[in-house]
């Protein structure tokens, strides 16, 4: 199971496109005919991972549904930057209702499609990590539990970005946010808190749960397309670095996602009916420092007044992920 | 649909919002010079032809290759491939097997009978090329393609120069050489064999040539002063190898001592081994100091060639020689130790390098000769207007590839000179250093090892030692290329732009930035695998 | 067809006749029987095509309705009290998006103290949400108003709450005329949405709107309710033509022609009031009644006209604006501004406190004699209240007021010794 990468064609499937692949093996994003579901002119920050991840995901869903797609969007950066009044970037039917109700709105849309016999029209809901793991969590769980025919896409940038970078239940330990400042004896976000929503989603026994990052488009597209081939409640959490909130260079967005995966800080896997069926292995394992150090939100961990013991704890988290999900190839480690 | 005021918006209308104004830096596409191209003495566009080979379009690959070098199959066998030493992939796993792909393309061309396109027009100018070695052939090829009438006058009975009379068959089968020479001649180049030029000025006058390119090589074996008995048989390496091409094979006896540490010494030793003799190479310095390429020494050792390092010949007798052991001083120079040894030797072959036969230049005004070689200006012209020279006879590294490069360069300048102008080479792009690449994106793939003939057959026959790649392995190898500094249409920029500000123009057409929306985040630059985009400050 | 049935069941049948396509529900007394009945109809295959969704909260119920309605499906839900408050954010959102959702509010008090019985505080708390609110006096009217509500909501593309008194109506068994399907079909055309999520013609719905247009959007919502003031009587008239019944409209008067004292109220209490008025009329008092059916939009002009010939009025309302007094009364006063009429506010029946004819009789007599204070808390147990106030003055840790009060009234000790 899992995405079967092309082993070798100069770049295999690591790059977005590959002129050497058979046309039917190529990615949606490499095509001139991709739908650009979020049109140019949106107001996301330079290098926004969420803008990118959303286009990746929605374009893939558009391709899989042959353009028969409706999206419900939670409040958050994505919603705000994509509808610069009086214009909209969206090229598909799209609705924004509230911060915490996107899954339920999507349920309503799916019900409407079902009752009207429009079985070809598919529904996605999407939101940030805050909208998903916190305020929208009740609606999300309800949608899961009823197994409503909705694909939920969570764009995880690990904080409430739209309101100015406050902590969410997806914020990693030690991270500085506007509400977990790097002060006091345990600077940054507390250890031992937070919510693993992919696993909670799995506990609902829904048909499909996956994680992905903007650093691996082919894997992301595969997962969206796979999810779109199924019916019932499906959940994909996409790791989308936020240059503004993380204090990283706008050109580093994809690299950060790559390092998160390669360090084991963000396990990339997929699960069906509550069981893990595939993991994206780490290709070149790196220590967590390499991932943490370029980010200003972790700056207080390093330097003369740094907190090496907290870095060690972060490494332990990564190691645990690696063990738990089997992120390293047997020989590789 | 009627759109309720304000809360319902038309799709995709954000195009009205020109986010390009946010930019402080703009990405621009550029081509950087791949290190392989930079290192190729023949100036091949390696990355360029690999690009076509990657998609299996071998003919196109061969055509791009031969724009700079007509001898693909020869190159793929005898070139010492400095390109591979420079190849960026060497820093990732191992360099691309450029040379083996080149050979594959050259062999494909022969197999499939691909021909060069005939010159479009004729200039009416006549150019004399003296010598049908690689330099002369290369110049003739380029000049012919430029529309000039070319005549090669060659002293020997066959074309090829050192490629035929130096490099042994087991490294360069003669059918391969013949095929590539013939293809050049098919362009309408006249080749006069057994036609030694004794006075260049006379020959030019006789043939009413407008210009000449001299490429007579370096064929006179250097001698060393070795005290020798009357019966001692001492010959030079070049004549031994030359006679291998004739009817009368050299008679050197069973025990053959080869004196020297260059490739020629190794070639001679391996050649006589194949003739049933027992060669011993005697060299005064150590293996790592030897000018021969290490892989050639290794192959020789595998085949049973003996080598005495740190030894000089003190005396040669009719059936033995005396050698003196040497030791390296602290500067790395060999110094005599006074320790002697006697070796059985039926003959001694001197492989100490070659000098140029400059007799054809006698009386030519304006020439400058230094250390036995003809000095040329950067445009390859000698001090005498209209007479150009290249290859082994001018100061340079003596390799087939350098010779070919000289031929090409000279042809361009001759062409310009004939038109009364001067040739201005295009400015070199900045180098595509390893640091400019994002190597994450390349698949892990180790170099393909070329097949080697088994040792028994190598010791007993002149069959080619190194095999070529087959279609699939050549394709694999070509696809290992990182395309340093040159877009290979991986679509990364097109994909990673969060603002859809990259326009994909379609296969073969590349990409364009849409500066109306590009916010200048730099993701495309960071994620371009091959370093074909850079950021430039926005003009204010 | 006449049926002896429970109010909730009758309403459920009326809803079903309106061919709703998506129903979502979360249980809360006294709304439960309505959605239970609908759920059963859908499950049994008697209501198709329709999706009945058991959501995890009222917030989700309204959100599902929003999605379904935006996707072009006729959507319905029902709630009450805490449930309505739990969905508030979505309630405003549905109105802001102009989605013609119909929701039954089985009116119930809001806690704390938690209380399941009837008053009007719940839907009145949503006065400014942008929803229209129609109050049913009887179960027959509840049935009829739902049918009219779908028509009106979809015409204007605005949501409507049909409010019916919890238990008093929802759980009452009465003889109710349930309309025929063909009647409803001829009154209520299929839903033709003004805006719809459709891949064939994509639009973005619910974008952020800044200061440049927000006022206008809000004004348009207001304008729609102003249009509703015109449409409601027309739709009621059309309803009468097809169903042969007077039902709905903006207001309804009773014995008002020569009335000097007018009693104003909403919902089922109008029945008790009318009975009281009958008694008082028999005694020769010039008293009449004004029932408000359309609380939002509030028919200012019609109310003013109905009160134009009286001398005084009493607004009897089942709601309290804490710290201020009446809620409906404020609107009525606004309607008669400048007329010099004497107006009284009577807060009654909060949390299900029975409103008896005897009490009303007394109250109206006092009003007639203009002896009432501006705000009257009808049947308030002053003794208990004063006791508690004293206690609170005496000790800081006086304990929870609600529990103290029950204790004082002897209810806890009676039950638990
Ligand atoms: C044994 C040996 C092995 C080698 N192996 C390699 C190798 O593996 N790879 C590599 O890159 N290089 C190798 N070299 C070096 C390489 O062969 C030469 O550098 C190269 O051939 C030089 O080319 P050229 O055209 O300048 O001269 P040549 O190849 O020497 O050709 C000169 C030609 O001019 C002709 N000529 C000479 N005088 C006259 C005249 N007066 N009139 C008319 N014709 C004349 C000669 O007959 C000859 O054909 C080797 C050299 C030797 C000796
Ligand atoms: C009910 C409610 N509470 C709070 C907010 C304010 N709010 C809007 S967006 C947002 C943060 C969104 O964070 P997240 O969901 O992670 O998305 P991001 O902006 O990071 O992409 C918050 C707190 C709101 N709109 N609604
Ligand atoms: S704050 Fe972060 S998530 Fe929001 S638009 Fe900027 S980069 Fe994107
Ligand atoms: S990887 Fe390709 S382009 Fe780069 S140096 Fe090697 S052969 Fe040349
Ligand atoms: Mg977030």
């Amino acid at each position: 199971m899992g995405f079967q990468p092309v082993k070798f064609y100069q770049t295999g499937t690591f790059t977005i496109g590959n002129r050497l692949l058979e046309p039917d093996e190529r990615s949606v994003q490499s095509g001139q005919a991709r739908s650009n579901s979020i049109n140019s002119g949106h107001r996301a920050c330079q290098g926004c991972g969420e803008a990118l991840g959303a286009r990746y995901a929605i374009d893939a869903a558009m391709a899989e549904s042959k353009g028969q797609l409706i999206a419900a969007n939670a409040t958050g950066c994505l919603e705000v930057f994509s509808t610069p009044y009086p214009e909209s970037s969206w090229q598909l039917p799209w609705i924004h209702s509230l911060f915490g109700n996107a899954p339920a709105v999507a349920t309503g849309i799916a019900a409407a499609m079902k009752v009207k016999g429009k079985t070809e029209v598919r529904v996605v809901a999407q939101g940030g990590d805050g909208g998903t793991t916190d305020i929208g969590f009740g609606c999300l769980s309800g949608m899961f539990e009823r197994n409503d025919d909705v694909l939920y896409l969570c764009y995880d940038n690990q904080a409430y970005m739209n309101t100015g970078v406050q902590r969410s239940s997806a914020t990693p330990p030690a991270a500085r946010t506007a509400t977990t400042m790097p002060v006091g004896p345990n600077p940054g976000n507390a250890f031992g808190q937070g919510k693993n929503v992919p696993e909670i989603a799995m506990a609902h026994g829904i048909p499909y749960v996956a994680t992905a990052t903007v650093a691996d488009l082919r894997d992301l597209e595969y997962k969206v397309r796979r999810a779109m081939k199924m019916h019932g409640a499906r959940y994909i959490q996409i790791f989308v670095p936020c240059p503004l909130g993380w204090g990283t260079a706008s050109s580093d967005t994809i690299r950060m996602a790559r390092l998160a995966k390669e360090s084991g800080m963000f396990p990339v896997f997929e699960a069906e009916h509550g069981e893990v069926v595939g993991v994206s292995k780490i290709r070149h394992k790196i220590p967590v420092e390499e991932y943490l150090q370029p980010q200003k939100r972790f700056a207080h961990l390093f330097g003369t007044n740094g907190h090496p013991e907290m870095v060690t704890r972060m490494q332990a988290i990564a190691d645990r992920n690696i063990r738990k999900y089997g992120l390293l190839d047997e020989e590789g480690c | 649909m009627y759109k309720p005021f304000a809360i319902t918006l038309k799709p995709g209308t954000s195009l009205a919002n020109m986010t390009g104004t946010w930019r402080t830096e703009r990405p621009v596409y550029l081509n950087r010079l791949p290190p392989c191209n930079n290192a190729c003495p023949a100036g091949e566009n390696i990355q360029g032809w690999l690009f076509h080979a990657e998609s299996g379009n071998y003919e196109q690959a061969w055509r791009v290759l031969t724009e700079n070098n007509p001898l693909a199959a020869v190159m793929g066998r005898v070139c010492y491939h400095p390109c591979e030493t420079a190849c960026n992939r060497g820093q990732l796993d191992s360099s691309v097997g450029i040379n083996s792909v080149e050979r594959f393309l050259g062999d494909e061309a022969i197999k499939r009978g691909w021909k060069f396109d005939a010159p479009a027009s004729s200039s009416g100018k006549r150019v004399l090329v003296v010598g049908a070695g690689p330099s002369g052939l290369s110049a003739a090829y380029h000049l012919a393609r430029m529309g000039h009438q070319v005549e090669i006058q060659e002293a020997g009975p066959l074309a090829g120069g050192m490629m035929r009379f130096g490099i042994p068959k087991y490294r360069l089968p003669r059918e391969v050489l013949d095929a590539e020479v013939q293809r050049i001649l098919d362009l309408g180049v006249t080749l006069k064999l057994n036609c030694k030029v004794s006075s260049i000025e006379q020959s030019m006058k006789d043939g009413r040539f407008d210009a000449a390119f001299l490429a007579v090589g370096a064929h006179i074996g250097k001698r060393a002063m070795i005290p020798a008995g009357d019966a001692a048989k001492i010959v030079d390496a070049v004549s031994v190898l030359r006679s291998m091409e004739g009817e009368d094979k050299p008679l050197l006896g069973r025990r053959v001592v080869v004196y020297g540490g260059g490739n020629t010494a190794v070639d001679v030793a391996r050649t006589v081994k194949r003739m049933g003799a027992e060669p011993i190479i005697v060299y005064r310095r150590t293996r790592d100091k030897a000018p021969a390429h290490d892989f050639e020494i290794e192959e020789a050792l595998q085949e049973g060639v003996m080598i005495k390092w740190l030894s000089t010949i003190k005396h040669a007798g009719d059936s033995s020689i005396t050698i003196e052991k040497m030791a390296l001083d602290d500067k790395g120079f060999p110094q005599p130790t006074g320790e002697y040894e006697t070796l059985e030797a039926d003959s001694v072959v001197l492989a100490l390098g070659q000098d140029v036969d400059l007799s054809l230049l006698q009386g030519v005004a304006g020439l400058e000769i230094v250390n036995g070689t003809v000095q040329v200006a950067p445009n390859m012209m000698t001090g005498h207007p209209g007479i150009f020279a290249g290859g082994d006879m001018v100061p340079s590294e003596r390799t087939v590839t350098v010779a070919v490069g000289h031929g090409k360069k000279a042809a361009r300048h001759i062409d310009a000179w004939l038109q009364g102008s001067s040739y201005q080479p295009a400015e070199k792009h900045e180098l595509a250093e390893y640091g400019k690449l994002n190597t994450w994106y390349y698949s892990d793939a180790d170099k393909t090892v070329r097949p080697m003939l088994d040792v028994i057959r190598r010791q007993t026959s002149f069959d080619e030692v190194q095999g070529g790649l087959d279609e699939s392995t050549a394709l694999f190898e070509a696809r290992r290329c990182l395309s340093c500094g040159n877009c290979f249409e991986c679509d990364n920029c097109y994909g990673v732009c969060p603002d859809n500000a990259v326009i994909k123009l379609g296969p073969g057409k590349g990409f364009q930035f849409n500066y109306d929306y590009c916010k200048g985040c730099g993701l495309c630059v960071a994620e371009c695998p091959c370093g074909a985009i850079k950021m430039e400050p926005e003009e204010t | 067809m006449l049926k002896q049935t429970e109010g909730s069941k009758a309403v459920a049948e009326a809803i079903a006749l309106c061919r709703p396509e998506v129903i979502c529900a979360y249980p809360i007394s006294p709304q439960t029987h309505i959605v239970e009945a609908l759920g059963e109809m859908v499950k049994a295959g008697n209501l198709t095509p329709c999706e009945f969704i058991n959501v995890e909260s009222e917030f989700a119920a309204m959100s599902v309705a929003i999605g379904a309605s935006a996707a072009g499906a006729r959507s319905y839900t029902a709630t009450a009290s805490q449930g309505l408050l739990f969905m508030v954010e979505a309630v405003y959102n549905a109105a802001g998006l102009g989605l013609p959702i119909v929701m039954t509010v089985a009116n119930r008090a809001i806690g704390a103290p938690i209380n399941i019985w009837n008053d009007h505080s719940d839907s009145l708390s949503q006065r400014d949400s942008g929803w229209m609110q129609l109050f049913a006096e009887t179960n027959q009217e509840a049935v009829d108003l739902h049918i009219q509500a779908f028509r009106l909501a979809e015409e204007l593309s605005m949501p409507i709450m049909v409010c019916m008194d919890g238990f008093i109506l929802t759980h009452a068994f009465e003889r109710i005329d349930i309309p025929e399907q063909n009647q409803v079909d001829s009154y209520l055309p299929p839903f033709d949405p003004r805006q719809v999520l459709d891949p064939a013609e994509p639009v973005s719905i619910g974008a952020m709107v800044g200061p440049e247009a927000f006022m206008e959007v809000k004004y348009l919502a207001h304008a729609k309710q102003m249009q509703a003031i015109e449409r409601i009587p027309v739709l009621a008239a059309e309803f009468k033509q097809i169903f042969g019944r007077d039902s709905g409209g903006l207001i309804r008067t009773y014995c008002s022609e020569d009335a000097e004292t007018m009693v104003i109220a909403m919902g089922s209490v109008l029945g008790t009031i009318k009975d009281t008025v009958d008694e008082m009329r028999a005694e020769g008092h010039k008293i009449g009644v004004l029932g408000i059916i359309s609380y939002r939009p509030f028919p200012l002009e019609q109310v003013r006209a109905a009160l134009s010939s009286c001398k005084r009025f009493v607004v009897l309302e089942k709601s309290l604006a804490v710290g201020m007094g009446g809620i409906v009364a404020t609107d009525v006063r606004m309607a008669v501004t400048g007329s010099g009429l004497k107006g009284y506010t009577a807060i009654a029946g909060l949390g299900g406190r029975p409103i008896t004819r005897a009490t009303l009789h007394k109250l109206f007599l006092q009003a007639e004699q203009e002896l009432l204070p501006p705000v009257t808390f009808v049947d308030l147990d002053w003794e208990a209240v004063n006791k508690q106030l004293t206690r609170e003055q005496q000790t800081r840790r006086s304990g929870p007021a609600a529990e103290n009060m029950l204790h004082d009234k002897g209810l806890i000790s009676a039950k638990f010794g």
Side-chain angles (χ1 to χ4, degrees), chain A residues 43-51 77 81 157 161-162 241-245:
Chain A
R43 292 201 183 137
C45 302
Q46 292 158 315
C48 172
E50 188 164 80
C77 272
F81 71 59
N157 53 22
M161 295 310 176
N162 190 52
C242 163
L244 181 102

Side-chain angles (χ1 to χ4, degrees), chain A residues 6-20 29-34 36-48 51-52 55-56 82-92 215 250-255 258 261-262 283-284, chain B residues 5-6 9-17 19 22-24 51-52 54-55 89 438-445 476 479-483 488-492 494-502 504-507 517 519-523 526-527 529:
Chain A
V6 168
K7 279 272 162 38
F8 183 72
Y9 270 2
Q10 188 169 34
T11 57
T13 36
F14 292 120
T15 46
I16 304 291
N18 187 337
R19 67 192 175 95
L20 304 172
Q29 280 306 308
S30 67
Q32 279 172 290
R34 76 181 189 205
N36 278 345
S37 314
I38 310 178
N39 218 351
S40 304
H42 61 70
R43 292 201 183 137
C45 302
Q46 292 158 315
C48 172
L52 184 61
R55 194 193 70 225
Y56 280 179
S82 63
T83 48
Y85 183 81
E87 295 109 24
S88 167
S89 295
W90 297 98
Q91 311 241 51
L92 74 164
S250 62
S251 56
D252 260 352
T253 298
I254 292 177
R255 186 168 77 98
R258 191 153 56 227
K261 187 210 150 205
E262 293 296 286
R283 197 165 153 224
H284 306 304
Chain B
F5 180 71
L9 305 176
K10 287 202 204 78
T13 43
S14 58
L15 288 181
N17 191 17
T19 53
W22 302 14
R23 207 168 49 232
T24 56
F51 179 86
H52 295 291
E54 282 152 25
S55 56
R89 182 139 201 159
N438 186 339
T439 56
W440 166 264
Y441 288 104
Y442 300 102
S443 288
D444 310 296
F476 178 92
R479 287 175 173 182
R480 293 184 62 242
C481 172
L482 311 176
S483 194
F488 61 112
E489 296 180 31
C490 75
D491 296 323
N492 261 15
Y494 178 59
V496 303
C497 176
D499 294 280
N500 321 345
V502 177
K504 178 168 173 165
L505 299 171
Y517 302 106
K519 293 172 185 161
C521 71
L523 268 174
E527 301 306 322

Side-chain angles (χ1 to χ4, degrees), chain C residues 34-90:
Chain C
I34 303 173
V35 290
E36 283 164 8
L38 282 165
E40 193 176 329
M41 283 185 244
V42 174
K43 197 125 205 284
N46 298 330
L47 173 49
T48 60
C50 180
E51 286 293 304
F52 184 90
I53 303 167
N54 286 301
V55 290
E56 72 283 356
S57 72
E58 286 86 357
F59 178 65
M62 184 47 62
S63 300
V64 168
I66 286 171
S69 182
R74 182 170 286 164
S75 307
Y76 170 82
T77 187
T79 190
S81 180
Q82 314 300 132
L84 182 61
L85 295 202
F86 199 75
M87 67 164 70
V88 166
E89 199 194 6

Side-chain angles (χ1 to χ4, degrees), chain B residues 1-3 5-9 11, chain C residues 194-195 201-202 204 206-207 217:
Chain B
M1 189 193 305
Y2 159 81
K3 301 202 174 51
F5 180 71
I7 51 163
T8 303
L9 305 176
Chain C
R194 286 214 183 164
Q195 51 182 354
E201 206 188 334
S204 305
V217 173

